[in-house]
Amino acid sequence: MTPRGTVFRETMLGRVRLAGDTADRPLRLDLLARADSLMLPHRTTLARLTGRVRIAGRADDPSAEGELEISPVARRRIRYRLGFDLDGRRMLLDGWKSVSFRRPLSSMTVLPYTLYEDGARVGEGTLRFPLATGLLPFLAGFRFPRAAGPAADRFLAPRWDGTPGRTEVWYTTLTDPATGSGVWLHHELVAPHDGAPAYAHGWIAVFPKEGPVEHARFGPVPWAGRRTHGWAGGRPHGPADSPTGRTDSLTGHPGGRIDGFVAGGVRVGPGRLTGSAGPFTWALAEEVQGPPLHTFPRWSWRRPWLPATHLLPAARARYTGTVRHGTRELRLTDAPGASARIFGHGNARRWAWLHADLGGGDVLEIVAAVSMRRGLDRLPPLVFLRLYRNGRAWPRRVERTAVGWAGIGRFRADIGLPRWRVEGRAGLRRIRVTVTQPPDGTLALDYTDPDGSAAVCRNSERADADVRVERWWGRWRPEAAWRLSGTAHAEVGGR
């Protein structure tokens, strides 16, 4: 049985006296805690903290990160360590609730703390949990999702080992259930074929339900992430190069965070996506809700023999946070989406991609592509299709959709715009998928491959999809059907 984790939200209010100030300032913490195990009072539970820190007139950091130690019986304390920015300086809030069974109410709701900057004490204060207004939302907000976090986290570390002619991508797509807006975050590492220094770049795009698509790019900047030194099962071994050259006292990891992608102020790490590009700034917490999903064969991630490989560390996730652009702000709460990874030699000659959250824990992922490699470029699009339904992936073996049971052609893709299709059969089931990308809701962006060649993708985070599954019972009978209107994520690309 898959173990379950613990997720909850907490708000604390109080005051802080900063060094040099003559009076206290109001302080507010809005935190999200995620633990990879069930929180039980008789044992020590460690959780990751993300959230927002607001100090009146001095700080408003929506990207605060830290850790929470919950040990009310074993150690008689609940300790908070939270890093945040104050006037461009990195602060550490360190404090704990000293649990007393003689005073259970006050000891569990009062948090004295100290602020540190590079180990020096720069402030102190007290926070309190507001029982009157906060208790019911606090209790109602507890969740116990299946603990898929560690499995997803191991795929975040950079796959690139320094070899020229490689590209690597971290991307996230989601749909805001309140406004219907789609969001696309793309983070890319490019190692040029000629041996020039690797660089990082990317973009953010917002697809509103009404109005034009807006986007902005960041980079290119020199790649400052770590290189791996050998791999086994997708996990890096050996030292990592820190972007800052130091070990952070809060997390104990180089550079202060365990990051997958780092490019200036843009970061992708476990459970957290932050950054800025042009008029956009974003800070999102990611809650993974299912196991990773391999779109390509599992071995292709460990052994880069194929032109490229693709997987989803978070095939189903929920996103909470803010995306600001100009004077507008998109506030997300439990927005459904997914995060994926690509590693390879560059973009395909032609390709189509679909991510469809079908509801009820079901997900459909499709990649159909024509390779740039000589010989393979003469084949029709190879289809990699994974339908995750009722806790199982179909077809059982990833290769079935690409090479079929009796040769290439069992699954076919008809790639075009504004509509493209995929259909095929594996075992006693067959599937038909029709994707429609609205012209006014599709964004065209250009790529540059490691060899310097160009490609263009046309992406829509508000696509429509019609999915029909049939099963053979003496004849083909309908088994399941889904119609997505404006919530499918799709792309068509080419040269």
Side-chain angles (χ1 to χ4, degrees):
M1 180 180 294
T2 305
R4 291 187 176 272
T6 305
V7 178
F8 63 91
R9 300 178 186 276
E10 183 177 19
T11 295
M12 284 187 287
L13 309 174
R15 306 189 73 82
V16 60
R17 174 69 64 91
L18 299 172
D21 282 359
T22 58
D24 293 347
R25 294 176 181 269
L27 170 65
R28 178 185 176 113
L29 301 185
D30 293 290
L31 303 176
L32 174 66
R34 296 186 302 273
D36 295 326
S37 59
L38 286 176
M39 187 182 71
L40 299 175
H42 66 278
R43 71 183 186 191
T44 299
T45 303
L46 298 178
R48 300 181 296 278
L49 283 178
T50 57
R52 186 175 185 179
V53 177
R54 283 176 279 187
I55 299 177
R58 293 296 298 273
D60 186 355
D61 185 0
S63 306
E65 296 180 287
E67 59 190 10
L68 175 64
E69 176 195 283
I70 309 169
S71 186
V73 175
R75 298 182 180 178
R76 299 284 184 92
R77 72 181 187 187
I78 302 174
R79 186 175 186 178
Y80 297 73
R81 305 187 76 209
L82 189 68
F84 66 97
D85 289 332
L86 171 68
D87 295 335
R89 300 145 54 197
R90 194 65 179 171
M91 298 290 167
L92 171 63
L93 183 153
D94 188 4
W96 57 86
K97 301 172 183 176
S98 299
V99 178
S100 169
F101 297 109
R102 293 183 178 180
R103 298 177 291 104
L105 191 62
S106 62
S107 66
M108 293 283 283
T109 57
V110 178
L111 172 66
Y113 66 88
T114 304
L115 288 184
Y116 296 94
E117 181 184 12
D118 293 330
R121 184 169 178 166
V122 295
E124 60 183 15
T126 302
L127 288 160
R128 289 178 171 80
F129 177 78
L131 280 170
T133 60
L135 182 59
L136 287 179
F138 173 72
L139 295 176
F142 267 82
R143 298 289 184 270
F144 304 97
R146 297 195 182 277
D153 292 352
R154 76 171 184 264
F155 293 114
L156 286 181
R159 178 70 178 85
W160 181 58
D161 62 359
T163 303
R166 297 291 189 272
T167 185
E168 186 164 2
V169 176
W170 296 251
Y171 73 81
T172 296
T173 60
L174 59 93
T175 299
D176 177 25
T179 65
S181 297
V183 177
W184 177 26
L185 280 165
H186 180 100
H187 316 79
E188 185 168 349
L189 157 66
V190 179
H193 192 270
D194 60 6
Y199 62 90
H201 72 111
W203 53 79
I204 181 173
V206 174
F207 298 72
K209 190 172 183 178
E210 303 290 342
V213 180
E214 299 181 60
H215 81 285
R217 293 180 181 263
F218 59 86
V221 297
W223 173 247
R226 60 187 181 183
R227 291 184 180 181
T228 61
H229 298 263
W231 284 78
R235 294 179 180 272
H237 296 278
D241 297 328
S242 166
T244 62
R246 65 181 179 85
T247 299
D248 189 271
S249 60
L250 173 62
T251 64
H253 295 282
R257 296 175 174 88
I258 308 175
D259 285 298
F261 178 90
V262 181
V266 180
R267 295 179 181 269
V268 178
R272 194 70 174 168
L273 301 98
T274 59
S276 62
F280 287 82
T281 60
W282 62 92
L284 300 175
E286 178 184 68
E287 181 184 334
V288 181
Q289 297 195 319
L293 185 65
H294 288 261
T295 321
F296 283 45
R298 290 175 181 267
W299 54 261
S300 66
W301 188 254
R302 300 189 302 271
R303 302 178 181 88
W305 297 338
L306 297 179
T309 186
H310 179 278
L311 65 86
L312 292 90
R316 290 192 306 111
R318 293 294 182 267
Y319 297 87
T320 298
T322 58
V323 176
R324 297 186 178 95
H325 47 115
T327 59
R328 284 167 289 180
E329 181 178 80
L330 183 62
R331 288 186 172 272
L332 302 167
T333 302
D334 291 333
S339 286
R341 298 278 277 108
I342 302 172
F343 181 67
H345 296 262
N347 293 284
R349 183 173 297 279
R350 287 192 301 135
W351 72 89
W353 161 79
L354 170 71
H355 174 79
D357 189 323
L358 305 175
D362 300 339
V363 170
L364 175 64
E365 193 79 14
I366 298 176
V367 175
V370 178
S371 173
M372 288 288 289
R373 287 188 179 178
R374 184 173 299 177
L376 295 178
D377 60 357
R378 297 179 178 273
L379 297 175
L382 296 183
V383 177
F384 294 89
L385 180 149
R386 303 293 280 161
L387 174 61
Y388 187 80
R389 181 173 173 235
N390 298 328
R392 295 183 178 182
W394 175 86
R396 186 172 61 87
R397 293 192 61 84
V398 181
E399 298 88 342
R400 289 287 293 275
T401 62
V403 299
W405 182 53
I408 294 172
R410 185 60 69 94
F411 277 72
R412 297 181 297 276
D414 179 14
I415 299 176
L417 283 174
R419 184 174 291 107
W420 55 275
R421 299 178 179 84
V422 168
E423 61 181 25
R425 170 188 171 185
L428 297 178
R429 288 185 174 87
R430 70 181 183 185
I431 188 170
R432 292 186 178 92
V433 182
T434 302
V435 180
T436 304
Q437 298 184 207
D440 59 349
T442 296
L443 174 66
L445 288 173
D446 60 295
Y447 293 78
T448 300
D449 282 344
D451 64 1
S453 61
V456 177
C457 76
R458 293 170 174 83
N459 181 288
S460 176
E461 301 303 313
R462 285 197 39 80
D464 301 334
D466 183 85
V467 182
R468 299 182 182 276
V469 178
E470 297 177 316
R471 185 179 176 91
W472 179 259
W473 291 105
R475 62 183 178 88
W476 290 110
R477 302 172 185 266
E479 184 178 48
W482 299 268
R483 289 187 63 88
L484 280 66
S485 179
T487 61
H489 307 158
E491 180 177 294
V492 170
R495 303 284 171 169

